[in-house]
Amino acid sequence: MSPPVLEKTFQASDPVLQDTETFEVNLGPQHPSTHGVFRMNVKLEGETIVSLKPVMGYLHRNHEQIAENMSYLGSMPYTDRLDYFNSMSNNFGYALAVERLAKIDVPERAQYVRVIMAELTRLVNHVSVIGFLLNDLGAFFTPVLYAFREREKILDVFEEVAGSRMMCNYLRFGGVKRDLTPAVTERIKKIVRGFPKFLDEFEGLLTRNEILCIRCQKVGVLPYDLAVNAGITGPMARASGVNYDLRKVDRYSIYDRFKFKIPLGKIGDVYDRYLVRILEMRESLKILEQALKEIPAGPVMNPKFAALAKAPRNFKPPKGEAYGRVEAPKGELGFYLVSDGTAQPWRYHVRAPSLINLTVLEDLCLGHKVADAVIILGSIDIVLGELDH
Amino acid sequence: MTLNQNLSTVESGLKSELRKKGIVIATLEDFYNWGRRSSIWPLQFGLACCAIEMIATACARYDLARFGAELFRASPRQADLMIISGTVTKKMAPQVVRLYNQMPEPKYVITMGACSIAGGPFIDGTNVLKGIDRYIPVDVHLPGCPPRPEALLWGITELQRKIDGQEIEKNEWYQRGLKREFPIPEFGPKGLIPKFNPDVWRPETASRRRERYGDPILLGKKTAAPKFETFGDPNVKVGTV
Ligand code: SF4
């Protein structure tokens, strides 16, 4: 074989290029693109990915085991730390599971407060995720600045109602911890009013952006069948056209009272996932508007369980099992509880959407370049606290 | 932590006289420290929940750039400061120490959040390291779960105060030929080996944990699976309430 001549342009079929070796690259656990401590072992042929092995467990914190040795209420703050962007939805899922287990009623106003908080969390999550996705694309930190500006406004609301910015620990079995004051309601209304303007601004900068289109369209296509077979949920499944949203399917809490649509994608590429998230935020705003209009007065806590916080060990649900699930911003978040009649759950299992959505990572990345793997991972939207729990 | 004061030997009258003419006199130490404190480059390295607050600190509202520490570097070779933001698990601890070893001197560490200080809420987890200060020296501890962005700003200013007190003659990284390597723990059958680095951390002689925090949560104690009476009863559906 003669040595390659410089003027020559190479074709893929060239014998020189046929001779290349596969090359193994390790991305992470400390890597700016991996959203935490996640590692990918990537095998490359040139720059094309031929195999990808995710390595997890760098943030395994014995979540389930700790919860099995705790009172039921004691695990509520731990659920905050599962998916640390959306502590309210995690609380929601867990509260639903325990309420099903112990058959607790939730007052009307509390239901509305829960829905409002869950939808606000969705806004926080989607807006940050899009910021980080753009970060991975190379628009270093500028979109995140916009995203976090909005996030801070919502976190202010959380801080006012729950006392903490990120780790809210706000929901209780049978209601929520504190009532919304009129000032907070006003503040939420203001955010809801101002958010579409921000979304327009955000979209104006991004949606038709040429670089974003070229980098995202037709990259990491998740076909409908694979999405269904692999159990993908959340915006990722909906971007592939799977019409599955627990808010419509399961109709938990009071979601059947609100009018909203489920945005669906056609192709299932990174761009669709981006668009679905933007549209979902707009739908969330609709829910928020309706909820804020309809929210009744009344108690926010089931009086029978109001004293639970003082003596959480006295709370002993009857024997049985329950599965509570919510449409968390990342997908179906489920809590499976088995009670043996004592103060702590006999089994506590988390169905983490991040973990299950990640299972298709290799299928999405095969045949793409390394740089695309980074944005595909960004568009899957994982959070390590939940992935490894 | 005792802070050394940098006292100038030039008398203050002369100093102010010179300053009027546009000449500023400082010791070499002052100059070095001023340079270091005004451009701390943190390592872009998030571990868990606290990392989000770290990002929030760098963003527009809290604006870490006011303190000259906004330039997050992804490579440890370019970083001065390591903000350990989150739970360090036993799987991650060797990587953290390795990253720390790769950073050039002088290097500083801020532990952010209860987890990296002592295990935090997950202290009972078998897989969670009970404080990264067992392996590497830590300059500032930031309690909180998560600490607010203001707390991180406070931590950075506290670190700047510490840098201000450094003396060229005494600090080890100003000496020639310094080579510091911290032993990297390995993952053994029963957790990390060694359990701690005796140069930086030693256990208390008598454990006061029980006295402080009460009885630990018993992990791994399992009872038999509950028997549901409802299983045999066709009228009652299990799991659907
Ligand atoms: S201290 Fe709290 S917020 Fe920070 S990493 Fe630990 S659990 Fe998460």
Side-chain angles (χ1 to χ4, degrees), chain A residues 68-80:
Chain A
E68 279 164 19
N69 288 284
M70 275 220 160
S71 65
Y72 282 86
L73 192 59
S75 331
M76 185 65 92
Y78 283 88
T79 60
D80 286 339

Side-chain angles (χ1 to χ4, degrees), chain B residues 37-116:
Chain B
R37 77 194 289 274
S38 321
S39 68
I40 304 171
W41 288 10
L43 180 63
Q44 186 187 15
F45 171 50
L47 277 168
C49 346
C50 285
I52 310 299
E53 286 297 63
M54 184 174 80
I55 297 166
T57 319
C59 281
R61 191 188 206 174
Y62 296 99
D63 199 6
L64 198 52
R66 291 178 293 161
F67 302 92
E70 82 283 13
L71 205 58
F72 282 85
R73 304 306 298 180
S75 159
R77 306 263 181 221
Q78 301 165 344
D80 310 314
L81 167 66
M82 188 180 207
I83 302 176
I84 300 173
S85 51
T87 323
V88 188
T89 57
K90 287 184 181 160
K91 190 167 179 181
M92 196 59 201
Q95 334 291 339
V96 174
V97 181
R98 192 167 291 138
L99 283 172
Y100 182 73
N101 278 342
Q102 287 174 356
M103 280 162 57
E105 299 276 355
K107 48 195 173 188
Y108 309 98
V109 176
I110 293 181
T111 53
M112 188 179 181
C115 279
S116 49

Side-chain angles (χ1 to χ4, degrees), chain A residues 52-175:
Chain A
L52 186 149
K53 290 267 164 297
V55 183
M56 302 167 222
Y58 287 98
L59 196 54
H60 178 63
R61 302 193 279 196
N62 309 73
H63 179 90
E64 292 180 359
Q65 213 183 7
I66 287 177
E68 279 164 19
N69 288 284
M70 275 220 160
S71 65
Y72 282 86
L73 192 59
S75 331
M76 185 65 92
Y78 283 88
T79 60
D80 286 339
R81 280 138 186 104
L82 270 179
D83 174 356
Y84 29 80
F85 273 109
N86 338 305
S87 53
M88 292 280 195
S89 340
N90 302 346
N91 287 176
F92 200 177
Y94 182 57
L96 270 186
V98 177
E99 278 155 14
R100 281 188 190 171
L101 188 66
K103 305 195 180 61
I104 303 174
D105 291 330
V106 183
E108 193 79 340
R109 186 176 168 85
Q111 299 270 26
Y112 275 91
V113 175
R114 284 176 176 197
V115 167
I116 289 172
M117 291 305 156
E119 294 306 317
L120 281 178
T121 327
R122 199 179 309 278
L123 296 181
V124 171
N125 180 68
H126 285 355
V127 88
S128 323
V129 163
I130 291 172
F132 286 128
L133 174 67
L134 268 287
N135 224 351
D136 295 343
L137 270 175
F140 192 68
F141 241 83
T142 316
V144 179
L145 287 182
Y146 283 88
F148 270 61
R149 188 185 69 197
E150 296 309 305
R151 180 179 176 264
E152 292 288 344
K153 288 181 193 163
I154 298 175
L155 289 199
D156 277 351
V157 171
F158 289 169
E159 190 175 357
E160 216 164 321
V161 298
S164 171
R165 281 158 50 87
M166 265 173 74
M167 305 301 176
C168 301
N169 184 17
Y170 180 53
L171 270 62
R172 293 287 180 273
F173 312 138

